Amino acid sequence: MTQRVLTTESGAPVADNQNSATAGVGGPILLQDQHLLEKLARFNRERIPERVVHARGSGAYGYFEVTDDVTGFTRADFLSAVGKRTETFIRFSTVADSLGGADAVRDPRGFALKFYTDEGNYDLVGNNTPVFFIKDPIKFPDFIHSQKRDPFTGRQEPDNVWDFWAHAPEATHQVTWLMGDRGIPASYRHMNGYGSHTYQWTNAEGEAFFVKYHFKTNQGVRSLSSEQAAELAGRDGNSHQTDLLQAIERGVHPSWTLYVQVMPAGEAADYRFNPFDLTKVWPHSDYPLQRVGRLVLDRNPDNVFAEVEQAAFSPNNFVPGIGPSPDKMLQGRLFAYADAHRYRLGVNHTQLPVNAPRTAVVDNYGRDGLHATRNGARYDKNYEPNSYAGPAQTGAALSAPLAIHGWTGTHEAPAHTKDDDFFQAGELYRLMSEDEKGRLVANIAGGLSQVTRDDVIEKNLAHFHAADADYGKRVEEAVRALRED
């Protein structure tokens, strides 16, 4: 094999990569040592700002294959025929901790999926839970601040965590999920994924439907107890990354079956729950799961930084036949995600290989900016309309229009007949076995008992009492017992 020659960034061969140039033997280093200066300068710039949330992640490539006909609901081309396959990239992540955190912690998991379709990239950015803590994006920065490290102590503080939840009764449903048995997945392969938000599908006839995505793991759901997770996190902080990497490397390809719940758009206004409230689910008895296809992961990234850390997902990356709903949290994310990537990676982050479309042709008037690689040919114009055969609009909307009415202003979400902050949390609690209830209560009490303010504890206890009398009674007794020890 021919020995490759080490070069500088400009392509010049490097004579010595072991010793810096000095003024004589043992003398000071010379400023003219271009190779040394270049290496140190590049080293200083190797990292980019980590994500504010979902900083710690793992990723893999794969494909999505359609197994069932859903053309009656959407005209999306990648869902147009049974057997059709589309290349995908997925990023799993924890939410609250930094890039240096452990994988085996009690935290929601990000489930962000990029479909490289023939009509452009479609990003589905969800979690491993079907609901979330809040329903309005204006509260998101406050929520995350309460869950991240305290500015003074530099650690996550139970006072902050539970104080926010005390003032956010709508979080009771997601808190019940998080503190329950599925709060710490055993691995990324052994958890479900959800679009969480409500999205819109539009078929070829222009009929609109609202949908929720459910990716059910074919490996089976497996979770860790708090004790198991603490031991695993202490032994191997990279446990979930290692598991995913090694499974794919040895040919064990994780897979999920995608189901959707489908609601005709006309039924949304009178549904018993607000169908666009991220703190609520649609009971399967109302809208059963309908199978769509399967997701298979079969290839690891070659470079974690280039393909996982620089992967950029945005829920406003839609394709024809799929669009947004009036879900307020989704509406906020349509801006926030793309803006985060422009900050972290630059305005041309969509040109990075992991983010660039595979088969669709990108043809627009975006030019220049940091790291631009697509600036057009000599006679291409950077304005529109023009007389030079530049790309033109199609006039065809990606999805059906949403009806708007009423006055502008800051409004609470419209109330539906069964809308409250506690009903579904109570329903979830009552579905649990006695053993599951016991672990849920212990997990909640373990954190809530550390709160120093009695009024914050009382506000949170009131939420659990409102969800279910037995739920509230058991949490209250468990908290009291721990505080008396």
Side-chain angles (χ1 to χ4, degrees):
M1 181 183 295
T2 303
Q3 179 64 54
R4 294 160 59 190
V5 174
L6 178 65
T7 73
T8 65
E9 298 287 348
S10 60
V14 173
D16 191 340
N17 194 43
Q18 316 306 318
N19 303 287
S20 302
T22 59
V25 178
I29 288 176
L30 297 173
L31 186 62
Q32 71 185 40
D33 190 342
Q34 184 258 355
H35 179 51
L36 168 66
L37 301 185
E38 185 175 82
K39 283 186 72 174
L40 293 179
R42 169 172 279 279
F43 180 75
N44 286 342
R45 294 161 175 79
E46 280 184 356
R47 293 295 169 258
I48 58 178
E50 69 173 44
R51 291 165 169 86
V52 178
V53 288
H54 297 276
R56 181 175 182 81
S58 301
Y61 292 95
Y63 63 87
F64 179 79
E65 181 178 11
V66 179
T67 58
D68 294 78
D69 183 8
V70 291
T71 55
F73 306 121
T74 179
R75 60 186 175 94
D77 181 70
F78 78 101
L79 299 174
S80 62
V82 172
K84 185 162 188 171
R85 286 189 177 186
T86 300
E87 184 182 359
T88 62
F89 181 78
I90 194 167
R91 186 177 186 272
F92 304 107
S93 56
T94 54
V95 176
D97 213 343
S98 62
L99 191 57
D103 287 339
V105 294
R106 188 172 297 279
D107 198 14
R109 298 300 191 276
F111 194 98
L113 187 59
K114 187 181 297 291
F115 299 83
Y116 299 102
T117 87
D118 294 339
E119 297 179 301
N121 290 351
Y122 171 47
D123 290 351
L124 182 59
V125 188
N127 285 323
N128 72 324
T129 61
V131 293
F132 197 61
F133 299 92
I134 55 175
K135 63 180 74 174
D136 193 303
I138 203 168
K139 300 179 72 172
F140 188 74
D142 301 298
F143 165 63
I144 293 300
H145 289 163
S146 75
Q147 310 297 301
K148 299 281 278 187
R149 297 174 186 268
D150 182 85
F152 170 64
T153 66
R155 65 175 193 169
Q156 189 182 57
E157 292 290 350
D159 276 352
N160 300 348
V161 170
W162 289 96
D163 185 39
F164 182 88
W165 288 341
H167 293 87
E170 70 270 26
T172 308
H173 192 187
Q174 173 72 325
V175 170
T176 304
W177 267 89
L178 180 62
M179 297 299 174
D181 279 359
R182 297 192 180 190
I184 314 177
S187 79
Y188 289 131
R189 297 182 295 128
H190 294 94
M191 67 181 193
N192 294 335
Y194 301 89
S196 301
H197 297 289
T198 300
Y199 293 90
Q200 186 203 75
W201 276 7
T202 309
N203 65 17
E205 288 70 43
E207 295 177 292
F209 303 86
F210 291 119
V211 301
K212 283 186 175 290
Y213 294 89
H214 301 250
F215 288 85
K216 299 291 189 178
T217 175
N218 294 325
Q219 292 70 239
V221 172
R222 288 173 50 194
S223 304
L224 301 173
S225 68
S226 296
E227 295 76 18
Q228 291 171 324
E231 179 184 350
L232 180 57
R235 188 172 70 246
D236 180 9
N238 304 301
S239 56
H240 289 34
Q241 161 69 15
T242 301
D243 175 85
L244 181 66
L245 174 76
Q246 292 182 350
I248 295 175
E249 285 298 292
R250 67 176 184 266
V252 178
H253 297 157
S255 66
W256 287 258
T257 300
L258 171 62
Y259 299 87
V260 292
Q261 290 177 283
V262 181
M263 174 189 292
E267 297 180 10
D270 297 323
Y271 186 47
R272 56 187 175 133
F273 305 109
N274 180 352
F276 312 117
D277 181 347
L278 186 55
T279 68
K280 304 287 195 302
V281 297
W282 302 352
H284 294 178
S285 56
D286 294 345
Y287 295 98
L289 296 179
Q290 302 189 46
R291 194 176 66 176
V292 180
R294 67 184 184 124
L295 169 69
V296 179
L297 305 183
D298 59 6
R299 179 165 68 88
N300 284 309
D302 293 323
N303 184 287
V304 171
F305 177 81
E307 299 165 89
V308 180
E309 189 64 12
Q310 293 194 125
F313 301 84
S314 178
N316 62 9
N317 287 340
F318 293 113
V319 292
I322 303 178
S325 78
D327 180 335
K328 294 177 76 172
M329 283 294 292
L330 173 60
Q331 294 284 324
R333 295 176 85 197
L334 298 181
F335 161 75
Y337 272 60
D339 186 60
H341 303 316
R342 295 183 191 108
Y343 161 67
R344 293 183 64 244
L345 304 171
V347 72
N348 291 306
H349 65 273
T350 55
Q351 297 178 30
L352 295 170
V354 70
N355 301 321
R358 293 291 193 264
T359 56
V361 175
V362 176
D363 195 0
N364 58 40
Y365 297 95
R367 298 287 188 273
D368 308 331
L370 194 66
H371 306 315
T373 61
R374 191 183 66 241
N375 278 316
R378 175 181 297 185
Y379 299 110
D380 286 341
K381 303 303 178 184
N382 64 347
Y383 60 89
E384 194 279 336
N386 62 61
S387 303
Y388 294 85
Q393 65 194 40
T394 66
L398 299 187
S399 57
L402 297 172
I404 304 296
H405 60 85
W407 300 94
T408 61
T410 55
H411 306 287
E412 292 186 5
H416 291 234
T417 56
K418 282 286 187 180
D419 270 344
D420 66 53
D421 294 325
F422 309 110
F423 176 79
Q424 290 199 353
E427 290 282 272
L428 178 58
Y429 175 79
R430 289 183 286 275
L431 284 174
M432 295 180 181
S433 68
E434 278 302 308
D435 287 345
E436 289 173 324
K437 290 176 180 177
R439 290 188 291 269
L440 168 68
V441 168
N443 290 334
I444 292 173
L448 188 54
S449 64
Q450 299 178 53
V451 174
T452 59
R453 290 184 50 163
D454 291 342
D455 61 322
V456 172
I457 294 176
E458 291 302 321
K459 286 179 181 177
N460 279 284
L461 290 176
H463 297 168
F464 301 122
H465 279 292
D468 182 274
D470 179 66
Y471 189 8
K473 177 175 178 289
R474 292 171 68 166
V475 172
E476 183 172 1
E477 291 174 349
V479 170
R480 182 185 305 115
L482 288 172
R483 285 168 65 83
E484 290 174 350
D485 283 349

